[in-house]
């Protein structure tokens, strides 16, 4: 069996460095089905949806365990190469192969013969290569039709090795789901699917001469697998409604894994998708009505500044006042003990804010927002490193102590800050609930009860979901990684560095609940 290309030291350095950086930027990164990844030495093409520019590639590099694959050969647009920037060095030093895109050359024909030859040689050596078959990163809720390049590479490699009885090549599809891709401390799900294996003996239809319909069939199968593991919707508005339906069916406090949450949201998204173009899909009136009611209810929640859970569980005025005081005092306490660490974090926050603010001006949302996380990662890495080195230089007699204590203080401060902001978010929601008034709150509860009955009927009666989601997801997931914890579990070892407080997969490090998506220019 081929042993693959030797791993350059720069690739190992990049993998370790960005594994650390990604764990800081994202609150939780859950990797599912890593055991399905073909082992080192087995030719493999890793394919995923592409919605977050360079961050997608870095995420795959760090998500694939080194014990499974010692290296993942990447591809990137050729315009990223040859620049005197850190990003360019990062791409080139990791053994990335440049791919020319017509859109970067005034839509003229481009020649990628050398790149394809290099990729096929890498596969024949037993390497794993990474390709994003959508062709380009894009800020959009739906997966673009996949290009046929991956299937054609498989066909060409099988043809070149038709006389080798034991030769095989796999396509490993992967679905990447960002809860809020560009937001600090949001969550990410990486789901690997069972590899599709090809051999010259079992797949003679892919050995030259090839009917192009077979290439299309392989591409369609890839699209189906990638789409099945993420939220693939035609509009952000549909994603918004599907998330609300998911939260109503399995409300806040349901102990479910991130994977279960994504699959549940996708289930509702698929059910509501027919209402996007009713004349084309023949959607029934009940689905259209439910979609309309979900949108109106969410719009009212946004205007009132409260979450569905505040309507679901009514509180007395006295309880609201008591909890308001507790949340305010708790958030103030956490903010106060976080001040030393926040001083260290301030240069990082200011640098990334300034860089992203200027970058957003460079183009429309659809052309820039998929690169925001990339900018935050790179500028955060540099500014964080600067803070660390400066701290060491200013405390030279105690440099060895500072080198360890500063990162630890910044990390635990980040955890305290998450809780402080969550408590303040609860405080503002409770104060808004007071302003709403009992009459409006009662009216909203009536609306919710009617809407919940429709959602539950769709979930149980039509979609075949269980009657008791809490029991189902507990039995299904047990205590797996990436599970939202209950109150008792999340309260244990409060000051532990490893503790996770988050109870809602929709949370980010924001003073408001993120439920809307920018649709301007999309």
């Amino acid at each position: 069996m081929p042993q693959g290309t030797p791993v350059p030291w720069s690739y190992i350095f990049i993998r370790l460095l960005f594994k650390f950086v990604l764990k800081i930027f994202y609150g939780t990164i859950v990797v599912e089905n890593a055991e399905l990844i073909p082992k080192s030495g087995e030719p493999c093409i890793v394919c995923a949806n592409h919605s977050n520019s360079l961050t997608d590639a870095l995420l795959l590099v760090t998500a694939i365990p080194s014990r499974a694959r010692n290296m993942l050969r990447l591809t990137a647009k050729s315009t990223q190469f040859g620049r005197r920037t850190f990003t360019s060095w990062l791409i080139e030093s990791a053994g990335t192969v440049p791919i020319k895109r017509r859109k970067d050359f005034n839509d003229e024909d481009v020649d990628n013969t050398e790149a394809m030859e290099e990729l096929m040689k890498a596969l024949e050596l037993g390497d794993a290569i990474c390709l994003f078959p959508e062709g380009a990163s894009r800020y959009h809720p739906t997966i673009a039709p996949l290009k046929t390049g991956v299937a054609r590479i498989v066909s060409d490699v099988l043809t070149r090795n038709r006389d080798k009885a034991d030769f095989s090549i796999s396509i490993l599809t992967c679905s990447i789901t960002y809860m809020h891709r560009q937001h600090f401390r949001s969550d990410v799900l990486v789901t690997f699917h069972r590899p599709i294996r090809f051999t010259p003996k079992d797949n003679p239809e892919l050995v030259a001469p090839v009917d192009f319909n077979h290439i299309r069939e392989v591409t369609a199968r890839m699209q189906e697998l990638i789409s099945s593991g993420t939220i693939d919707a035609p509009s952000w508005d549909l994603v918004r409604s599907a998330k609300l339906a998911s939260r109503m069916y399995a409300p806040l406090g349901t102990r479910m894994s991130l994977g279960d949450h994504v699959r549940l949201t996708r289930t509702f998204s698929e059910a509501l998708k027919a209402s996007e173009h009713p004349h084309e899909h023949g959607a029934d009136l009940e689905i259209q009505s439910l979609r309309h009611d979900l949108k109106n209810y969410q719009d009212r929640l946004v205007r009132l500044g409260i979450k569905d859970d505040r309507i679901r569980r009514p509180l007395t005025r006295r309880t609201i006042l008591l909890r308001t005081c507790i949340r305010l005092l708790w958030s103030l306490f956490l903010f106060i003990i976080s001040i030393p660490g926040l001083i260290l974090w301030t240069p990082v926050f200011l640098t990334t804010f300034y860089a992203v603010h200027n970058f957003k001006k460079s183009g429309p949302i659809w052309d820039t927002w998929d690169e925001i996380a990339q900018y935050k990662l790179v500028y955060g890495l540099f500014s964080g490193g600067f803070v660390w080195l400066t701290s060491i230089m200013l405390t030279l007699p105690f440099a060895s102590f500072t080198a360890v204590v500063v990162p630890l203080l910044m990390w635990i401060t980040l955890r305290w800050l998450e809780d402080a902001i969550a408590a303040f978010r609860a405080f503002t929601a409770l104060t808004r609930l007071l302003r709403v008034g009992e009459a409006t709150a009662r009216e909203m509860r009536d609306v919710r009860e009617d809407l919940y009955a429709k959602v539950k009927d769709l979930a149980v009666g039509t979609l075949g979901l269980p009657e008791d989601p809490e029991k189902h997801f507990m039995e299904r997931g047990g205590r797996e990684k990436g599970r939202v914890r209950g109150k008792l579990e999340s309260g244990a070892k409060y000051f532990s560095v490893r503790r996770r407080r988050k109870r809602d997969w929709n949370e980010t490090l924001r003073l408001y609940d993120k439920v809307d998506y920018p649709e301007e220019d999309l």
Side-chain angles (χ1 to χ4, degrees):
M1 180 182 292
Q3 295 303 309
T5 303
V7 184
W9 70 267
S10 56
Y11 179 88
I12 298 173
F13 170 73
I14 288 169
R15 182 168 58 194
L16 291 174
L17 177 64
F18 278 95
K19 191 166 188 175
F20 170 72
V21 173
L22 286 166
K23 281 185 176 294
I24 292 176
F25 185 78
Y26 290 111
T28 308
I29 300 174
V30 177
V31 180
E32 294 185 324
N33 305 329
E35 70 279 1
L36 297 178
I37 300 171
K39 303 300 181 184
S40 293
E42 300 180 30
C44 175
I45 305 177
V46 180
C47 302
N49 51 310
H50 200 18
S51 64
N52 210 5
S53 194
L54 181 60
T55 308
D56 290 331
L58 293 173
L59 192 62
L60 288 176
V61 166
T62 57
I64 296 178
S66 56
R67 64 181 179 275
R69 302 293 315 198
N70 53 14
M71 185 177 178
L72 179 64
R73 294 289 299 273
L74 303 174
T75 57
K77 57 185 179 183
S78 60
T79 52
Q80 294 272 24
F81 291 74
R83 297 180 178 180
R84 301 180 66 178
T85 63
F86 174 74
T87 302
S88 183
W89 171 84
L90 181 73
I91 291 172
E92 293 176 22
S93 62
T96 306
V97 178
I99 300 292
K100 296 177 182 177
R101 305 185 307 173
R102 292 183 60 182
K103 63 180 292 186
D104 297 324
F105 295 88
N106 298 319
D107 284 329
E108 297 178 0
D109 290 338
V110 294
D111 184 7
N112 280 308
T113 304
E114 291 184 11
M116 292 301 105
E117 180 65 22
E118 185 173 350
L119 290 175
M120 286 190 284
K121 285 182 177 179
L123 288 168
E124 290 171 336
L125 288 172
D127 285 351
I129 66 173
C130 177
L131 292 170
F132 295 102
E134 287 179 271
S137 176
R138 55 203 295 270
Y139 186 83
H140 200 279
T142 191
I143 299 173
L146 302 190
K147 299 184 183 301
T148 58
V150 172
R152 285 188 280 120
I153 290 176
V154 169
S155 175
D156 289 344
V157 173
L158 287 176
T159 300
R160 287 164 54 134
N161 294 271
R162 66 171 70 194
D163 297 326
K164 298 179 181 179
D166 60 344
F167 182 83
S168 69
I169 183 172
S170 299
I171 296 177
L172 178 67
T173 54
C174 174
S175 305
I176 305 175
T177 308
Y178 299 92
M179 291 298 95
H180 298 287
R181 74 200 76 191
Q182 75 274 24
H183 287 309
F184 193 36
R185 304 304 291 169
S186 59
D187 305 301
V188 188
L189 175 70
V190 181
T191 302
F192 291 103
H193 304 285
R194 191 168 299 280
I196 313 170
R197 298 189 185 277
F198 303 90
T199 67
K201 178 181 177 180
D202 295 336
N203 304 97
E205 72 279 4
L206 294 176
V207 176
V210 179
D211 183 341
F212 202 73
N213 286 324
H214 296 306
I215 299 294
R216 292 193 184 97
E217 287 172 4
V218 173
T219 305
R221 189 176 174 190
M222 289 166 50
Q223 178 117 26
E224 181 181 356
L225 284 171
I226 294 174
S227 174
S228 69
T230 188
I231 304 168
D232 185 10
S235 69
W236 290 116
D237 185 66
L238 182 61
V239 174
R240 182 182 188 251
S241 297
K243 284 190 173 184
L244 175 59
S246 173
R247 286 196 299 273
M248 295 185 78
Y249 168 72
L252 187 66
T254 303
R255 288 169 286 181
M256 61 195 305
S257 70
L258 179 57
D260 286 335
H261 171 73
V262 169
R263 284 182 283 274
L264 180 62
T265 304
R266 173 185 165 76
T267 299
F268 280 107
S269 173
E270 291 298 304
L272 297 173
K273 189 179 290 186
S275 66
E276 190 76 8
H277 302 289
H279 298 296
E280 296 178 15
H281 297 280
D284 61 56
L285 295 177
E286 289 185 3
I287 293 293
Q288 294 182 51
S289 175
L290 176 59
R291 170 83 182 277
H292 179 266
D293 292 343
L294 285 167
K295 182 181 185 307
N296 288 343
Y297 178 66
Q298 183 67 76
D299 288 344
R300 290 197 67 182
L301 290 175
V302 171
R303 286 196 297 270
L304 294 173
I306 56 179
K307 293 173 70 169
D308 171 64
D309 193 60
R310 301 293 178 187
I311 301 298
R312 180 177 72 93
R313 299 187 298 179
L315 302 172
T316 64
R317 189 175 184 84
R318 180 180 177 180
T319 302
I320 294 175
L321 288 170
L322 178 61
R323 292 189 179 184
T324 299
C325 294
I326 293 173
R327 297 293 187 273
L328 178 60
L329 291 174
W330 184 234
S331 65
L332 287 175
F333 170 73
L334 290 172
F335 275 124
I336 290 170
I337 66 172
S338 299
I339 288 175
L342 285 175
I343 293 173
L344 297 171
W345 274 106
T346 297
V348 180
F349 292 153
L350 290 178
T351 301
T352 53
F353 175 82
Y354 179 77
V356 171
H357 179 71
N358 286 336
F359 175 67
K360 285 181 180 179
K361 298 178 182 178
S362 65
I365 287 175
W366 58 265
D367 195 38
T368 57
W369 279 52
D370 63 312
E371 296 187 44
I372 289 177
Q374 168 187 317
Y375 270 73
K376 288 183 177 180
L377 288 173
V378 172
Y379 280 91
L381 173 62
F382 275 111
S383 54
F386 174 78
V387 168
W388 182 65
L389 290 173
T390 302
S391 301
I392 292 175
M393 295 298 293
L394 293 175
T395 58
L396 276 179
F398 314 100
S400 59
F401 177 77
T402 305
V404 175
V405 170
V406 166
L408 287 177
L409 177 60
M410 293 180 74
W411 177 249
I412 197 66
T413 298
L414 189 57
R415 289 301 176 93
W416 292 338
L417 187 62
E418 282 185 288
D419 279 17
I421 288 179
F424 190 79
R425 230 181 7 240
F427 161 75
T428 57
L430 288 167
T431 56
R432 292 189 189 106
L433 199 58
L434 284 173
R435 293 202 306 268
V436 163
E438 182 59 33
T440 302
R442 193 182 304 112
E443 179 196 350
M444 289 291 287
R445 280 196 295 275
D446 292 340
V447 172
R448 189 195 186 280
E449 286 180 8
D450 180 62
L451 187 55
Y452 172 74
K454 294 179 181 178
V455 170
K456 191 69 177 287
D457 182 63
L458 173 67
V460 179
T462 304
L463 303 178
L465 294 172
E467 183 77 27
D468 186 349
E470 172 69 17
K471 180 180 178 182
H472 169 75
F473 290 119
M474 277 298 294
E475 291 176 349
R476 174 184 170 88
R479 300 178 64 86
E480 66 183 271
K481 179 184 177 184
R483 171 171 294 282
V484 173
R485 308 295 181 183
K487 287 185 178 180
L488 294 178
E489 293 172 285
S490 61
K493 299 181 181 179
Y494 182 82
F495 291 99
S496 167
V497 173
R498 295 174 60 85
R499 174 189 168 273
R500 285 194 73 258
R501 181 214 60 80
K502 188 174 292 186
R503 295 178 59 224
D504 183 356
W505 290 120
N506 200 51
E507 290 182 14
T508 65
L509 201 65
R510 289 287 188 277
L511 291 172
Y512 56 89
D513 290 304
K514 181 71 179 174
V515 295
D516 291 321
Y517 302 88
E519 300 212 41
E520 178 186 345
D521 296 333
L522 289 182

